[in-house]
Structure formats: structure tokens, C-alpha cells
Amino acid sequence: MKKFAKVLGIILGAVVLIILIGAATINFGGIPSYETNPPDLKVEPDSALIAEGKKLATLVCNHCHMAPSGKLEGQPMMDLPPEFGKAWIPNITHGPNSRLAQYTDGELAYFLRTGVKRDGKYAPPWMPKFPLLSDEDVHSIIAYLRSDAPELEPSDAVQPAPQPSFLVKLLCRVAFKPLPYPSEPISAPPITDKVAYGRYLVDGKVDCYSCHSADFKTVNILEPPKSEGYLGGGNLLISPEDGKTKIYTANITMDKETGIGNWTEEQFIQAVRFARHPDGKPLRQPMAPFSALSDEEASAIWAYLQTVPPIHNEVQRNR
Ligand code: HEC
Ligand code: HEC
């Protein structure tokens, strides 16, 4: 019996040691690196492409990268759930030590699509990935980032490097992996094909689905409709205004009791473009007023939402 206890003790000790070594490897190893394989790309900017890129950046990049000064010089990420650690959004303006200047156009496209930075490090989910964005939209963002727009003028603000929690480091080894760089060209559907275009906005371009599905940890980036609770809301976010207030995302499926099935199209357009709720109270951040979307684009989203299976999910709104 004594011998048995001793053997058991040794086995248990070995298991604990292996777990500890594994945990230490993850903790001190940090975020994993990957080999990069950027495409050979040179974007030819013209004023129309830059204007398109600016609109897109206003919709999907600048609410994070733009500091209160109005420049893309970065800031602390106030609304990061504490379980993910701490992150600062980097300065991406032009300048002598600009991160952006070190990137080739191909490396930028590769980073935006796969999440792998030019140094090979994977960017955890605090920087979104855009695998479904059309090639033209990716090119427009690159043209804009290279432009002389005032918000990109050199700033020497330095943001600290992110401090990922153990959970993020662990998830970046087992769950969050770089996305494959697309092997075929990607084009957006024409806006006249309302439902398809609306879907492109929700899933590919403006990423409505990632906030409005059940949880960031269970979104399916390559096939958004397969995300848990797709568009059914309930994802717990933190107000970027005070870094504390908990705000659950709304159910934006057409369920009549718990979603927006009783709204009119006009009410929806007002909510999306100007963050106005039909009850008269403003929608709270991080729901941004997407005023850079046209009525026609918001209407396409509405058309697409009519085709999404309604989810019955009563979200605790505390409004
Ligand atoms: C939710 C906030 C958020 C949004 C939206 C966002 N970013 Fe970022 N971005 C970050 C954070 C955080 C990092 C730092 C990532 C890291 O180093 O782990 C980052 C890093 C970067 C970098 C620097 C990469 C490097 O090598 O250090 C660039 C360039 C960039 N983002 C461009 C963009 C563009 C272009 C968009 C829009 C298409 C965008 N970001 C949207 C938060 C955001
Ligand atoms: C950064 C996360 C985020 C993104 C991206 C986002 N939303 Fe929201 N949205 C929210 C939050 C949080 C609320 C709840 C705000 C509140 O309770 O005041 C909300 C509320 C709404 C509402 C109000 C519904 C209701 O019942 O009150 C609509 C409609 C909506 N979003 C549509 C969209 C659409 C369409 C997009 C894409 C164009 C989008 N959202 C992108 C976070 C987001």
C-alpha cells in the first residue's frame, strides 16, 4: 500500500510539474509568431480610392486608432474586457519611426486579412481581422493610410505595448490562429443586390456580427453566420467612456419580442446611422453612430436582416 501511495505520488507530482512547465511556457513565451507570406502588391492610389478608404476607416478603424486629439496616434483601450489583460492601440500616423512606413502594401494587406504583423507576431483579437473584405476595399484602406489626410500627420505619441493576460496567451495557442490569406480574388456584391450587399456589410466590412453575436470568443470569422447566437446579441461589452459600465449588445434579429422585429426600416436606419433608439434615448457606446454609411447602405443591412433566422434572446439592457 505504501509503495502504491509512493508511485501515485510520483505520478501526480509529474503531472503537476508538466502542467506547471506548460503554463510557464505559455506565460513567458507570450503571443506566438508565424512565418509571413505577404502578396506582391502595390496599390496605385487615386483620390477616389483614398476617399473610399477614409470612409471605410471611419467606419471600422478610427474609433479605435483615433485619439481625442483627432489624430490616429492611438490610446489606451478602455473597453477591453479585463480577462484579456491590458492593451494600447498603437500610433499609426506618419512620422520618422512610423510603424506604417515599415510596412509594404503587401504586408499591410497580409496583416489586415490574417492578423499576422510584419514581424511575424499574431495580433490578438483586440485588433480585428478582415478576411472577407473585398480586395478593392483593402486597397482603399491602404491608399488612405498612405495619404496626407490631416489625422495621419506625424505624431510622436508612443503607446505602451499590449499586456496580454494568461488567458489571451493560452487562447492564442489553442484557439485564435492566423487566418489563411485568401487564395482567390475577393469582390463585393453590387449594392443593387440589396440582401447580398447588406450581408457583406454585416459580415465582411463593418463587422456588426462580431459585437452582436453571443460572445467574441465564439465568433466564426471566416463564416460569420456560424457564430454562436449570430446577431442575437447578449455579448458583454464595457463602455469605452468610463471603462466600467457593462453594456450587453442588442438582439438585432427580427424576433418580435426580444429583437427588432417590430421596428420600421426608418427607425433602424436612424439607430444605425445616428445611434438613435426609437425610445428617444441615444444608444450607448461602443455602438457607434455609423454616419459614414449612406441610407442606401443601412437599408441594405435591413434587407439582409430580414433573411437572418430570428433568435429569441432577452438581453439585459439596463437602458
Ligand atoms: C477594436 C480596436 C481596433 C480597431 C477597430 C482597429 N485596430 Fe488596429 N490595432 C488595434 C490594437 C489593439 C493594435 C495592437 C495589436 C498588437 O500589437 O497586438 C492594433 C495594431 C494596428 C497596426 C500596427 C501593427 C504593428 O505592426 O504594430 C496597424 C497598422 C493597424 N492596427 C491598422 C488598423 C486598420 C487599418 C484598421 C481598420 C481596418 C484597424 N487597425 C482597426 C486596435 C484596433
Ligand atoms: C463595437 C461593438 C458594436 C458594433 C461593431 C456594432 N454594434 Fe450595434 N450595438 C452595440 C451595443 C453595445 C448596443 C447596445 C447599446 C445600448 O444598449 O445602448 C448596440 C445596439 C444596436 C442597435 C439597437 C437595437 C436595440 O434594440 O436597441 C442596432 C439596431 C444596432 N446596434 C445595429 C448595428 C449594426 C447594423 C451594426 C453594423 C453596421 C452594428 N450595430 C455594429 C455594439 C455594436
Side-chain angles (χ1 to χ4, degrees), residues 18-35:
I18 289 169
I19 292 176
L20 282 180
I21 292 174
T25 311
I26 291 167
N27 197 34
F28 298 111
I31 306 291
S33 289
Y34 297 87
E35 243 174 69

Side-chain angles (χ1 to χ4, degrees), residues 206-208 211-212 237 247-252 260 263 268 271-272 277 282-284 286-287 290 293 301 317 319:
V206 196
D207 255 7
C208 317
C211 281
H212 280 280
L237 305 185
I247 301 182
Y248 292 89
T249 59
N251 179 345
I252 57 167
I260 57 172
W263 288 28
F268 176 78
V272 175
H277 189 277
L283 290 166
R284 292 160 299 173
M287 174 66 196
F290 292 98
L293 284 178
I301 297 181
R317 299 291 296 279
R319 278 174 54 82

Side-chain angles (χ1 to χ4, degrees), residues 188-235:
I191 191 162
T192 44
D193 187 350
K194 257 184 131 176
V195 170
Y197 193 76
R199 175 177 178 174
Y200 174 63
L201 292 175
V202 169
D203 289 354
K205 193 160 169 175
V206 196
D207 255 7
C208 317
Y209 86 94
S210 69
C211 281
H212 280 280
S213 299
D215 194 315
F216 287 126
K217 295 197 281 298
T218 50
V219 292
N220 187 325
I221 306 184
L222 291 175
E223 291 176 88
K226 292 193 176 158
S227 302
E228 198 183 311
Y230 179 64
L231 300 178
N235 189 3

Side-chain angles (χ1 to χ4, degrees), residues 122-305:
Y122 175 69
W126 46 56
M127 165 68 203
K129 328 283 180 287
F130 301 89
L132 307 180
L133 205 55
S134 72
D135 294 338
E136 194 180 333
D137 281 336
V138 169
H139 298 174
S140 78
I141 292 200
I142 296 173
Y144 163 71
L145 290 173
R146 306 281 191 219
S147 76
D148 55 6
E151 59 277 17
L152 282 156
E153 275 170 17
S155 145
D156 42 24
V158 179
Q159 307 297 341
Q163 295 170 1
S165 66
F166 181 75
L167 177 69
V168 167
K169 293 178 197 166
L170 177 69
L171 288 176
C172 285
R173 285 189 189 253
V174 297
F176 303 141
K177 294 282 166 99
L179 300 167
Y181 192 82
S183 51
E184 303 282 328
I186 304 181
S187 50
I191 191 162
T192 44
D193 187 350
K194 257 184 131 176
V195 170
Y197 193 76
R199 175 177 178 174
Y200 174 63
L201 292 175
V202 169
D203 289 354
K205 193 160 169 175
V206 196
D207 255 7
C208 317
Y209 86 94
S210 69
C211 281
H212 280 280
S213 299
D215 194 315
F216 287 126
K217 295 197 281 298
T218 50
V219 292
N220 187 325
I221 306 184
L222 291 175
E223 291 176 88
K226 292 193 176 158
S227 302
E228 198 183 311
Y230 179 64
L231 300 178
N235 189 3
L236 174 59
L237 305 185
I238 314 252
S239 163
E241 276 158 308
D242 63 4
K244 283 201 299 271
T245 309
K246 291 180 175 175
I247 301 182
Y248 292 89
T249 59
N251 179 345
I252 57 167
T253 68
M254 290 299 145
D255 185 62
K256 288 206 184 306
E257 282 156 33
T258 62
I260 57 172
N262 288 322
W263 288 28
T264 64
E265 177 172 356
E266 187 47 37
Q267 286 173 331
F268 176 78
I269 294 175
Q270 289 289 315
V272 175
R273 296 198 56 210
F274 307 109
R276 278 187 211 126
H277 189 277
D279 70 6
K281 281 198 266 170
L283 290 166
R284 292 160 299 173
Q285 284 195 42
M287 174 66 196
F290 292 98
S291 43
L293 284 178
S294 63
D295 278 0
E296 201 185 0
E297 287 169 315
S299 166
I301 297 181
W302 176 253
Y304 170 59
L305 292 179

